[in-house]
Amino acid sequence: MRVLVVGGSGFLGREVCRRAAGAGFSVVGTYHCGSVGVSGVVGRRLDVTDRAAVRALVAEVRPDTVVATPYRYDDWAVTADGAANVALAAAEVGARLVHLSSDALHGGRPTPYADDDPPSPVNAYGAAKAAAETAVRAIDPGAALVRTSLILGEGSKQIELCREALAGRAVLFTDEFRCPIDVGDLADAVLELASSSYAGLLNVAGPDAVSRAELGLLVAERFGLDATGLKTTTATAAGVVRPSDVRLDSSRAAGLLRTRLRGVRELLA
Ligand SMILES: NC(=O)c1ccc[n+]([C@@H]2O[C@H](COP(=O)([O-])OP(=O)(O)OC[C@H]3O[C@@H](n4cnc5c(N)ncnc54)[C@H](OP(=O)(O)O)[C@@H]3O)[C@@H](O)[C@H]2O)c1
């Protein structure tokens, strides 16, 4: 299988590249400002906001599968328009598309979100991820769209934030709940979906919901760090406009995939 990982220099993209190359696939990974740096993977520079460049690269690589991960938190053109450009280019060559979406497109509520729940974004990032989904589904109804949550693992920015908060240099919210997932589990799930015919939205996150502050305590325990300095507050008190309680119900993915989606308590035990 020939795989094009758009955003191959990112945290998840690089893991997908590693595992795809390890499985013997022919892999091309794209980067924008960074680099891919994975043995056996061909790196190519790409700006997803440049539709002509995206089409040209996809037409040249002729992938069987495109995995689309790029986003920039505060850049609509990358997150929304870029996703549409990748979906269009993939459709032009008849490639299978796995698009990465986010729990951040939900507004937050006490009950878990099902796979097909419509977006209810509360900020520009959530709105851009929602717009990306709408574009991808319109362009390619056969695409798999993976809604995921905080991605953990070696080098995770979520773990780094916890370490910073434990050192008193950042703050973690007690009222922001998520269902973290391991980067390796997510990469395996993405590659499984690439080889399947699953179409539409799928929650792919861990089974345990924790607040950011609880995640900080789990990180402290796991790495033997002193938790007494952990700085916490509420998102409300901090005046941050982000969805508070977003729990993804990933039972459909758990039943569908061979990959076991481990919970954060197991991951950081
Ligand atoms: N990280 C999380 O906790 C989390 C949670 C929920 C959902 N997600 C979703 O999961 C996906 C992967 O997240 P991640 O944490 O792996 O992201 P990441 O590490 O921040 O990587 C983002 C990728 O996007 C690329 N990119 C940025 N601007 C670009 C542009 N103009 N053209 C082409 N590529 C561009 C970056 O390339 P360069 O680095 O080379 O510039 C990088 O490869 C995203 O779609 C995100 O919305 C992530």
Side-chain angles (χ1 to χ4, degrees), residues 6 46-55 68-90 97 99-100 124-136 139:
V6 186
L46 182 68
D47 180 350
V48 290
T49 66
D50 181 343
R51 180 178 296 178
V54 177
R55 291 179 71 197
T69 73
Y71 87 105
R72 288 260 189 255
Y73 191 79
D74 52 1
D75 193 332
W76 184 280
V78 174
T79 308
D81 300 353
N85 292 338
V86 172
L88 271 170
L97 175 63
H99 165 83
L100 265 296
Y125 172 59
K129 294 299 287 187
E133 281 191 354
T134 297
V136 169
I139 292 163

Side-chain angles (χ1 to χ4, degrees), residues 148-162:
T148 194
S149 188
L150 304 183
I151 308 175
L152 306 184
E154 185 69 35
S156 159
K157 56 192 164 202
Q158 311 299 348
I159 300 280
E160 192 46 39
L161 177 66
C162 292

Side-chain angles (χ1 to χ4, degrees), residues 149-228:
S149 188
L150 304 183
I151 308 175
L152 306 184
E154 185 69 35
S156 159
K157 56 192 164 202
Q158 311 299 348
I159 300 280
E160 192 46 39
L161 177 66
C162 292
R163 286 178 175 277
E164 287 293 297
L166 287 160
R169 292 188 293 267
V171 64
L172 298 178
F173 300 138
T174 52
D175 58 349
E176 198 175 81
F177 289 83
R178 298 290 186 267
C179 295
I181 184 167
D182 176 67
V183 66
D185 293 351
L186 182 55
D188 283 344
V190 163
L191 287 171
E192 254 198 270
L193 285 167
S195 306
S196 80
S197 57
Y198 185 87
L201 299 165
L202 188 67
N203 289 341
V204 183
D208 303 338
V210 289
S211 71
R212 294 242 182 206
E214 285 174 273
L215 181 59
L217 292 176
L218 289 171
V219 167
E221 250 176 67
R222 170 71 179 81
F223 297 103
L225 302 171
D226 182 7
T228 50

Side-chain angles (χ1 to χ4, degrees), residues 19-44:
R19 287 172 190 241
F25 301 146
S26 160
V27 188
V28 175
T30 78
Y31 58 91
H32 184 235
C33 298
S35 63
V36 179
V38 176
S39 156
V41 174
V42 176
R44 295 289 298 270

